Amino acid sequence: MVVEEFRSFSDWLLNDGALLTFVFVTVICAVSGLLLGFVVSSFRHGPGEAFYAVSQTVFQAVPDLFGMKFRRIWAIARLAIKENFRLFVVTLAIFVAALAIAGWFIGGGGKNPERSYVAFLFFAAQVLISIFAVLVSAFSLPNDILSKTIYTVVTKPVRASEIVLGRFVGFAVIGTVLLAIVGGLSYVFMVRGIDHTHELSEEITVDKWLPIVDGFTPDGRRPFDPRAAFESSVFTTRNNDHVHRLAIIQLPNGAFDVVADETAGHTHDVEVVESDPVTQHPKMVRFGPPRGNLRARQPIYSSPRGDLAALTLTDETGSPATGVNVGEVWDYHKYIQGGTQSTATFRFSGLTPSKFSNADQVNLDLNLAVFRTHIGDLRRRIEAEIELRNVVDVAETETAQVKSVKIPFETEEFKVQTLTIPRKLKNGTIRAVGQPDRTNQELDFFEDLATNGELDLIVRCIDQKQYVGVARASIYFHAGDTSFGWNYVRGFLGIWAQMLAIIALSIALSTFLKGPVVLISSVGVVVFGYSANFIVFVANSVLSTDKLANMWGGGPSEALYRLVTQMNLQHPLPPGLGTEILKFVDKQLLLPGLKSLSFAVPRFENFNLANYLAYGYTIDNQLLLINLLTAFTFAAGMMVIGYFCFKTREIAAA
Amino acid sequence: MVSATSAAPAGAKLVQTNVDYDPNIVIETQNLTKIYSDFWGRSKVRALKGLDLEVRKGEVFGLLGPNGSGKSTTIKLLLGLLFPSGGRATIFGKPTTEVSKNERIGYLPEESYLYRFLTAEETLDFYGRLFDMPSEVRRERAAKLIEKVGLKWARRRPLREYSKGMTRRIGLAQALINDPDLVMLDEPTSGLDPLGTREMKDLIIELKEQGKTVVMCSHLLADVQDVCDRIAILYQGELKELGRVDELLEVTNQQQIRVEGLTKDAQAKIAEILSQSGGKMLDVSSPKNTLENLFLDIIRESQARPGARGIIGSGDDNGTR
Amino acid sequence: MNFAPSHYRKAIYGILAAILLVPISFLARPNQISKDPNQAGEATGGTISQLRSEHNLSQASLSSIDPTSEVMKLASMGLHGIAVNVLWNQANAYQEKKAFDKVSGTVDTLVLLQPNFISVWEFQGHNLAYNISREFDDYQDRYFWVKEGLNFFTKGVAYNRRDHRIYDNLGLHTGIKFGVSDEKKQFRQILRKDREYVDTFISKFINPELFDRPEAGGFDSWMLSYWWYDKSYHMRENLGVPKRTSDLMYWVKGPQQLRQYAESLSVDFRPGEATRRAWRTAYEAWTDRDPISDRQGFGKRDITTSFGAVIRLEDLERQVEFQQGIARRMDELAPGVRQEITKEKVARLSPMDQQILNMPEAERQYKEMMEMVRIEMDIRVYEQEVAARAPAENRVKADNLLRELADGEFLVSQMDSYRYTVNYNYWRDVTNMESTVPGVLARQAAYEAAELVRQGILESYEEEVTDENGVTSLVKRDGAIDALTRYFQHTSDALKPYPGLHDGESTLIEDLMQEFTKFNAHLKDVGREWPDDFPMQWFIDERVRRYGRANIKNLMTTQDIEARKREAGLLEEKSDQTDQSDQTDQSDQTDQTDQR
């Protein structure tokens, strides 16, 4: 699973400057709002009167705020719900239809089907809910005003804030109900789509059990389970576009156990129905439901400690380095060279026995990349080793440096590999200052190595001249799984937050615009929200001083010129005034403007957390918190804008 | 001058807040002007020019004038639906934009702008909630009002199936849901059949008897004449006439005597006396019953005895019934 | 009914529209899609759909109508191009980020939008089978992704029923990826037993028995690629599908796979009669008739050259004889003229050249042979010169002969260059040589030698063997060195009849050179001298004579052996007689090689 950035809520809020931006944007909006109000009213009633009107409006806001009554808000909310019940049903019908059609496209596929399911379902839910939110809130207030039914409401002791907030609550409720149903339906659709079982295509006669000889089956394959003694050449039937192999495992206590391999992201429990009397090899087996494909791992990633980064690497001489680039365009993985001093050190903290439910073993998940410079023995995978060390403060010298034994393992690229580390590790070494090293000590993982939860994990590649690629997210301690269903709900929380933001947005717009205009402008803002990351990327790369990073084709207006004149990207613009203007507009106006605007709108792209679900990881609370807070503050801001616009609007004016 | 009122305690009956407010003056406008301007602020229509008006507590005040004379604008300005371009207007001593004043106001708009997908009960329940009334009060008042406006038989049907008269009645019901002290009626009787108009007028009189203040604007002079105490006549945004109905209608230099059982020669003697005492007799005729009374009598009669009714008299003998 | 003028106009327009409907229906009546898939495309519709099926443009004839693909095209609402463009970028982005399952997902959607663009299938199929499979470290994952690429191509078949390039790609990728890549040993080993893959994905197209070869231990990748090409040939020859690639490189593929099959048999398994038969089949398929598919052999294929001439590679020898026939007819027309011209040209040669010319061919060393090439050019007699001097009355016939000669020469040059491109002669001789008994025996010996070397048994040894009725007897077992000697003996017998293979640079010669060096190394390991009676001594001498000692430093030539014998004092007394006999031995050998 590719995790490119690690955002913790606190540092997002404080040092990433989210709070600062929020304050900054609020101040700007407030000031510009007042200024605008002042200009417009002074335009109409002259400056003196205007000042009085503006201040009166602002002071009026206070009683409006405290005068709000929940019963009134709920009354308007109920009204809004009743009004849009039909649209609710239509949207639901569309979603069900989409699910039916989707059945065509999301074939099981040999690979992990749940990934394509989650990706599609989240995309469909996100788009559908956004459209519903815009549609439902865009036409509500304008139609109310157009049909003058608002007169009977405004002439009641109903504050402008109650009208705006009432609608928000109404649409939020109807949206939440819709989202809950959509979420439930999609979950059932996915689980049913993935659920399947297999039978044996034919009976496994004794000769069909291939013996595993020095680690390989007779037809040259490596058995899918290293403990396997026999592997069947008979496959299961092809259900959901994949098949499973079977293997007999010799358990330490001598008993036989039959297991199915893991393809398309899951395996099945195997129950022996009938076995060969002589050799005890199973003849006919029965398969349970799929296991292991809908999961939500709880990873404990490495984290920075003081000024030391979470992941640091050393080069072949052991001095700190940034890792070798093996010529990949995407430099997510940093590579260390095999057979040298080159190491990757992961710094962990917060490893307490309770997190691992006091088990007597600790699971470490690895997702390493591998790069072979020479073919070597193709049949053998690249070997690497990990070593655990306790954290010793360089200055303070009493605590001894405790090192575990080096645990070698074969790397499995593009798969999540699990290494089980026993709590009691043998032949570790303890090096105290001024004392001879005490070797083959028995170490306790939590007491000796991960003292007060802090631990250093060192990775080395064993094979000469081969490379192992690491990234901060590629090694983590697997503290257990949360339920996939609950994780699925957390995924939908992201979409729920986005829905609230969009509802607030279009209500605010609907206080001073006509229905269709609101529709177009809120869709516009939502699209801008989706592409905010891209806009910032373009802005940064075009405005950046370092020539290399410059984007081909310049900013928007230059690109438009190139489009019209069908000039390719590399071709320099003809010198002259025109180019100067284009460059000026791009560099000074458009890009900085768009970039700063992008801070005012929540980045909807980050609200889709489907990736975590698809790859089976629990959605990080920090991420959820960030999304929810962004959406709520945006919604609150929109409510305030909506209130002021509605308040200053002459209801009866044409 | 009315200073900016501090935060009025929510929900409580309006307590008189500023000192120099005389409680009997319910509505007061000073030099109230309204200029409709286009988007760029260029003034286009001078809907109301400097209206000074006072409405006392407990009276039925009529705003008369041809269409486009600014009477609806005045009502909307008073209700805060429009913002005054000049001058000031206060209700119960509060500026019109003050929301808490609406606690004591009921408003029946021209066409009753009600939500067509709600039933009568739901409508009254909704508006009841807007007055922050607890549910049992709401239910009880709604039932009473529905009974009062005679819509009990249609209370569960959505408003889109209502006829014009029925919607007007439910509109009235919603205007009275909060037992308002001031009722603003915008063209209350327009579009109603004579029976409906009669009932509306009776209701207005009833409200007056309950001590409520009623402000109505209309261009049906007959209805205004029946119910209004004082009237104001607007023409092209300007107040042309203001005063008590009966005073205004009095033809000062003429008197009208109605007498019964008079013989012909007696009539001649009276005429003679009149001319001696300098009066000039203009006309001698027997008074006509109003068409409205005739119409209502027939309707009431047929309500009491359904079935065909013989056509009585072809209009040659018009004795009063 | 009084019609307002506008009503009149509307009525007229209505009528006009109705009239127009008639021709439209004739033109654009849609095709009735027949239920039976292979009759799809029968022209039943209006003129347009008939024209369309005539030029094989109708969707039904191009490919089977796939509902999802049609829906996708509609769903893109005309923004077809943009949707495709976005999908391509997305696929590249996912690949860069190594999200390979997303790549194959995006690509599957992509081909739904562009089913009839062959280059899309070729690019993405190759991408899956090569670029993505290479990214994986474990050979079993690579094997999985190669199969992904191949399955991707099989999906393309249904969409492109009138384009043989899909099958060509299947043949190409199956052959190379399973047969020639780094992991070929592991891939072929797994494929032999991969019944599940064959039953699910291949059996729809090719009957598994065809490439399930007992002698190759199960499903063989080369035979599989052969049959993929055969399906392509079936399309071209039986279904009359238009040609989309150049003839030469197209018709060579089938026989090439057979040769590779034979080669792999000889390397992977102990060569035997099956291997010989495989080489034999390869030889026949290469030259005149493919015994397996009973199609024309590669040599007999009509190949249109880039100059438009239609040639058959097998006809070169016949064409050269025909050319020589012309030379003879020219001499009849102008008796004695050729010899005169030759004499004149020789006279013009410098004394040095004349001396080299007269030197017997056997004595010419390397640099003289280089000179000879120039001299032969100088003294060559051109038919034009002979015709110029023909007697007047034969002048016209001579000129006609010249034109015939020119055409003939053009064909010869074409065939020569096309043969050279595909190394036709070399492969003809190799497959022929390998299919002879000595050829197979040589391979067997080589296989055993390799096995013995692996076990480290270099010297021969006696072994006690008790046969079934308990009699123990000493049996002599060959060591690696003796096995190699046997190998060289058989190779010498096999190679002799094919002079074409003796000189020049070829894999055969390279392998031989390696075998000599290894043999030499083994001898040194056990402290033995280079044998006097080395079976292929003639070959080494020939190489030294032709190419000097450049790349055969440590090998002994006959002269070296003689010198070693002299040192050892064995040969003083009969040193003079043996020189001539050696001389004659060598000379007759060299004569053989000169015959072309």
Side-chain angles (χ1 to χ4, degrees), chain A residues 43 60 69 71-72 75 78-79 144 148-149 151-157 647-652, chain B residues 34 40 76 81-83 98-99 102-103 107 113-115 118 126-127 129-133 174:
Chain A
F43 201 75
Q60 188 71 38
K69 272 271 174 279
R71 181 175 280 116
R72 278 198 280 265
R78 269 163 54 93
L79 184 79
D144 220 354
K148 294 195 172 71
T149 43
Y151 284 13
T152 43
V153 175
V154 173
T155 53
K156 299 292 182 290
K647 184 124 185 62
T648 51
R649 176 176 180 167
E650 271 184 317
I651 301 297
Chain B
K34 176 62 188 174
W40 305 108
K76 285 181 183 142
L81 293 177
L82 289 177
F83 300 144
E98 171 56 39
V99 165
N102 295 343
E103 295 279 354
Y107 170 56
Y113 305 125
L114 298 171
Y115 292 100
L118 295 178
F126 169 67
Y127 288 113
R129 285 169 191 263
L130 291 187
F131 284 95
D132 195 18
M133 289 177 192
Q174 66 83 22

Side-chain angles (χ1 to χ4, degrees), chain A residues 58-103:
Chain A
V58 170
F59 289 126
Q60 188 71 38
V62 174
D64 277 358
L65 183 64
F66 292 105
M68 283 204 287
K69 272 271 174 279
F70 179 72
R71 181 175 280 116
R72 278 198 280 265
I73 296 173
W74 181 239
I76 293 181
R78 269 163 54 93
L79 184 79
I81 293 173
K82 263 197 206 107
E83 190 185 19
N84 291 291
F85 186 70
R86 242 174 322 101
L87 185 63
F88 170 83
V89 171
V90 164
T91 322
L92 202 56
I94 293 172
F95 184 74
V96 169
L99 282 192
I101 296 177

Side-chain angles (χ1 to χ4, degrees), chain A residues 125-139 167-168 171-172 175 179 494-510 518-530 601-605 607 627-628 630-636 638-639:
Chain A
Q126 204 173 10
V127 165
L128 207 65
I129 294 294
S130 308
I131 294 172
F132 171 77
V134 170
L135 268 183
V136 88
S137 22
F139 290 100
R167 282 203 151 64
F168 177 75
F171 298 141
L179 199 58
I495 301 183
W496 183 70
Q498 176 184 336
M499 176 187 79
L500 293 187
I502 295 175
I503 289 177
L505 167 74
S506 15
I507 288 177
L509 291 173
S510 69
V518 172
L519 185 67
I520 296 164
S521 42
S522 32
V523 165
V525 171
V526 167
V527 165
F528 184 79
Y530 266 102
V601 176
R603 307 253 167 103
F604 290 129
E605 213 175 352
F607 281 75
N627 284 344
L628 289 177
T630 330
F632 287 156
T633 38
F634 181 77
M638 282 299 141
M639 282 298 107

Side-chain angles (χ1 to χ4, degrees), chain A residues 318-551:
Chain A
S319 48
T322 57
V324 175
N325 182 337
V326 292
E328 279 172 0
V329 173
W330 175 50
D331 59 359
Y332 173 70
H333 286 115
K334 305 278 185 284
Y335 284 80
I336 49 175
Q337 190 179 358
T340 65
Q341 301 241 335
S342 182
T343 64
T345 310
F346 288 80
R347 289 182 181 73
F348 287 97
S349 44
L351 298 173
T352 54
S354 59
K355 279 216 174 125
F356 294 84
S357 54
N358 305 13
D360 56 5
Q361 64 189 22
V362 169
N363 285 339
L364 182 74
D365 277 7
L366 305 105
N367 187 353
L368 303 172
V370 169
F371 184 78
R372 285 182 189 244
T373 50
H374 61 95
I375 295 173
D377 175 1
L378 262 180
R379 285 159 60 109
R380 215 175 44 70
R381 290 187 278 226
I382 305 289
E383 293 230 326
E385 66 185 15
I386 59 162
E387 183 191 353
L388 305 174
R389 284 194 189 155
N390 70 342
V391 176
V392 170
D393 188 346
V394 182
E396 173 253 322
T397 53
E398 289 84 27
T399 49
Q401 164 80 75
V402 178
K403 284 192 276 181
S404 82
V405 71
K406 293 194 174 76
I407 308 167
F409 60 93
E410 266 193 8
T411 54
E412 278 179 54
E413 203 180 12
F414 298 118
K415 287 197 198 72
V416 177
Q417 215 180 337
T418 309
L419 269 182
T420 355
I421 304 169
R423 180 157 181 177
K424 292 281 177 281
L425 288 138
K426 293 199 184 39
N427 47 54
T429 51
I430 298 175
R431 167 173 304 148
V433 174
Q435 285 166 10
D437 288 358
R438 281 177 280 135
T439 52
N440 55 50
Q441 303 292 313
E442 206 191 65
L443 305 171
D444 177 277
F445 182 84
F446 290 106
E447 269 84 32
D448 304 334
L449 286 164
T451 44
N452 49 55
E454 289 190 340
L455 175 80
D456 280 357
L457 185 139
I458 292 114
V459 184
R460 233 179 253 102
C461 174
I462 298 172
D463 285 36
Q464 289 281 352
K465 290 240 175 332
Q466 306 292 25
Y467 288 83
V468 161
V470 284
R472 183 172 165 197
S474 47
I475 294 187
Y476 55 84
F477 278 96
H478 182 180
D481 281 16
T482 57
S483 88
F484 183 81
W486 177 235
N487 204 24
Y488 196 79
V489 169
R490 294 154 72 95
F492 265 82
L493 267 184
I495 301 183
W496 183 70
Q498 176 184 336
M499 176 187 79
L500 293 187
I502 295 175
I503 289 177
L505 167 74
S506 15
I507 288 177
L509 291 173
S510 69
T511 52
F512 57 94
L513 293 173
K514 293 261 176 311
V517 178
V518 172
L519 185 67
I520 296 164
S521 42
S522 32
V523 165
V525 171
V526 167
V527 165
F528 184 79
Y530 266 102
S531 46
N533 289 345
F534 173 69
I535 288 170
V536 169
F537 163 72
V538 167
N540 291 344
S541 67
V542 171
L543 297 176
S544 86
T545 47
D546 131 37
K547 275 278 159 276
L548 266 180
N550 275 130
M551 187 90 144

Side-chain angles (χ1 to χ4, degrees), chain A residues 163-227:
Chain A
I163 291 178
V164 170
L165 199 59
R167 282 203 151 64
F168 177 75
V169 168
F171 298 141
V173 163
I174 198 170
T176 313
V177 168
L178 178 69
L179 199 58
I181 298 173
V182 160
L185 271 179
S186 57
Y187 185 71
V188 166
F189 175 76
M190 172 165 75
V191 168
R192 231 166 39 77
I194 285 174
D195 188 22
H196 63 279
T197 186
H198 298 266
E199 294 95 32
L200 269 185
S201 48
E202 57 187 276
E203 219 174 55
I204 315 178
T205 49
V206 179
D207 61 334
K208 292 270 181 12
W209 283 108
L210 313 174
I212 307 292
V213 171
D214 58 53
F216 288 96
T217 60
D219 60 354
R221 276 180 303 94
R222 180 180 297 115
F224 63 85
D225 188 327
R227 303 164 294 168

Side-chain angles (χ1 to χ4, degrees), chain A residues 115 220 222 328 372 413, chain C residues 98 101 135 137 139-140:
Chain A
R115 288 186 187 159
R222 180 180 297 115
E328 279 172 0
R372 285 182 189 244
E413 203 180 12
Chain C
K98 296 196 190 315
D101 49 359
E135 293 269 353
D137 173 43
Y139 69 99
Q140 283 177 256

Side-chain angles (χ1 to χ4, degrees), chain C residues 24 47 89 94 101 118 162-163 170 235 239 253 334 388 401 424 483 540 554:
Chain C
I24 287 174
T47 10
N89 289 337
Y94 285 143
D101 49 359
I118 289 298
R162 300 201 57 76
D163 198 317
L170 272 163
M235 255 187 155
L239 304 180
K253 293 290 185 195
L401 259 184
Y424 183 77
I540 295 175
N554 49 19

